[in-house]
């Protein structure tokens, strides 16, 4: 929006979550005046091309990001990036290595802030996924949430990002078949404890080591989300490729 001029158009989300096309009518030093237009003929070719591209993409199963609370303001960045990337649900939780220990009042303030960040991120990115964020829970709450999700969508997959190669499985292999939803569990600085990793694996989480580099927790979250999305989007292509090779 910052690069646009008077008369140019852009898409934005309305408070009701629906998308609309706007035309810039005036630009001030710190403000912008726009008019909502419904004239389909005035939509720029770039917007039409983007709509056509989106229409060709296969529907993705929901991606749920289970994020252990990191230090400082890192969670703000994680929430923003997750919303921009189209994550359906964010489940923040406190793990053994989480430094923040929030009281009820502070936790509620954080939740309200994260909801505002999600709204801004969706408006900025134009994401058509309604990202939600749950209240902060703990490891027990995370596992209970996962068990409940398995009852609703039995063909769901849960992936545990871990700093050690606990298994030989690959992300490609974990996402084979008719996946109904993908849960990604990311630890805080220091990762998951051995006890937490064992608990998650016992409940059906698949351990995964992302490459050879040690990633920051805020990097790991968006890295894993993007990797899952790309594999799911290209699943039809690599299934066809495998069949042709066979």
């Amino acid at each position: 929006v910052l690069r646009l001029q008077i008369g140019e158009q852009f898409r934005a989300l309305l408070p009701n979550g629906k998308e609309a096309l706007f035309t810039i009518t005036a630009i001030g030093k710190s403000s912008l005046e726009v008019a909502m237009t419904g004239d389909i003929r005035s939509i720029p070719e770039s917007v039409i091309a983007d709509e056509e591209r989106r229409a060709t993409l296969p529907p993705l199963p929901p991606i749920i990001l289970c994020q252990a609370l990191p230090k400082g303001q890192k969670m703000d960045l994680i929430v923003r990036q997750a919303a921009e990337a189209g994550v359906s649900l964010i489940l923040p939780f406190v793990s053994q290595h989480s430094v923040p220990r929030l009281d009820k009042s502070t936790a509620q303030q954080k939740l309200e802030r994260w909801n505002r960040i999600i709204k801004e991120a969706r408006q900025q990115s134009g994401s058509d996924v309604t990202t939600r964020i749950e209240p902060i829970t703990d490891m027990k709450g995370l596992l209970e949430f996962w068990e409940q999700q398995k009852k609703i969508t039995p063909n769901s997959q849960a992936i545990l990002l871990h700093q050690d190669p606990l298994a030989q499985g690959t992300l490609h292999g974990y996402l084979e078949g008719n996946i109904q939803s993908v849960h990604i569990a990311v630890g805080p600085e220091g990762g998951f404890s051995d006890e937490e990793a064992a608990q998650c694996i016992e409940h059906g989480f698949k351990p995964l080591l992302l490459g050879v580099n040690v990633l920051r927790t805020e990097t790991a979250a968006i890295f894993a989300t993007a990797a899952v999305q790309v594999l799911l989007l290209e699943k039809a292509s690599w299934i066809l490729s495998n069949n042709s090779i066979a």
Side-chain angles (χ1 to χ4, degrees):
V1 175
L2 295 176
R3 296 188 297 270
L4 299 180
Q5 302 298 321
I6 293 176
E8 293 190 274
Q9 297 175 320
F10 64 93
R11 295 179 306 165
L13 294 179
L14 299 173
N16 61 7
K18 294 184 178 180
E19 190 178 70
L21 184 69
F22 293 85
T23 300
I24 299 175
T25 58
I27 300 177
K29 290 184 178 180
S30 59
S31 63
L32 191 70
E33 293 184 15
V34 300
M36 188 168 66
T37 176
D39 185 3
I40 192 68
R41 292 171 300 178
S42 64
I43 299 178
E45 291 184 3
S46 60
V47 175
I48 296 176
D50 186 50
E51 292 288 354
E52 293 175 345
R53 179 190 62 81
R54 292 188 183 204
T56 63
L57 296 177
L60 289 179
I63 296 176
I64 292 87
L65 176 62
C66 307
Q67 175 67 52
L69 290 184
K71 297 178 183 177
Q73 302 299 315
K74 293 179 181 179
M75 191 65 185
D76 290 1
L77 176 61
I78 293 171
V79 169
R80 182 178 300 279
Q81 291 178 331
E84 291 176 352
V87 167
S88 297
L89 181 68
I90 304 169
L91 180 66
F93 67 98
V94 177
S95 72
Q96 290 184 18
H97 292 164
S98 290
V99 173
R101 302 289 172 172
L102 308 179
D103 57 38
K104 187 174 181 179
S105 175
T106 304
Q108 180 59 34
Q109 292 175 6
K110 288 283 188 181
L111 186 61
E112 292 173 358
R113 173 176 173 78
W114 294 334
N115 273 305
R116 291 195 299 270
I117 290 175
I118 288 173
K119 180 180 178 181
E120 294 170 359
R122 289 192 63 217
Q123 291 174 336
Q124 177 68 30
S125 65
S127 172
D128 55 3
V129 176
T130 304
T131 303
R132 298 186 297 109
I133 186 165
E134 291 285 318
I136 299 171
T137 186
D138 53 16
M139 178 58 70
K140 179 182 177 182
L142 165 62
L143 296 177
E144 290 176 349
F145 175 84
W146 165 237
E147 290 297 332
Q148 185 63 31
Q149 289 297 303
K150 285 195 293 184
K151 295 177 182 178
I152 300 172
T153 52
N155 291 333
S156 295
Q157 186 63 278
I159 298 168
L160 175 75
L161 299 191
H162 201 272
Q163 61 272 21
D164 298 319
L166 300 181
Q168 298 300 317
T170 65
L171 185 58
H172 188 286
Y174 291 153
L175 298 180
E176 287 183 338
N178 182 26
I179 302 296
Q180 293 178 292
S181 67
V182 181
H183 297 63
I184 306 172
V186 183
E189 297 86 350
F192 291 103
S193 68
D194 292 342
E195 178 185 355
E196 289 173 328
Q199 287 178 332
C200 288
I201 293 172
E202 182 180 350
H203 282 264
F205 279 74
K206 306 297 184 183
L208 180 69
L209 175 66
L210 287 177
V212 296
N213 297 331
V214 178
L215 302 178
R216 296 174 182 268
T217 182
E218 64 270 30
T219 306
I222 192 63
F223 187 103
T225 299
V228 167
Q229 281 188 333
V230 169
L231 285 180
L232 291 175
L233 283 171
E234 296 184 350
K235 177 179 285 190
S237 298
W238 52 259
I239 288 177
L240 290 174
S241 177
N242 289 340
N243 289 339
S244 63
I245 293 175

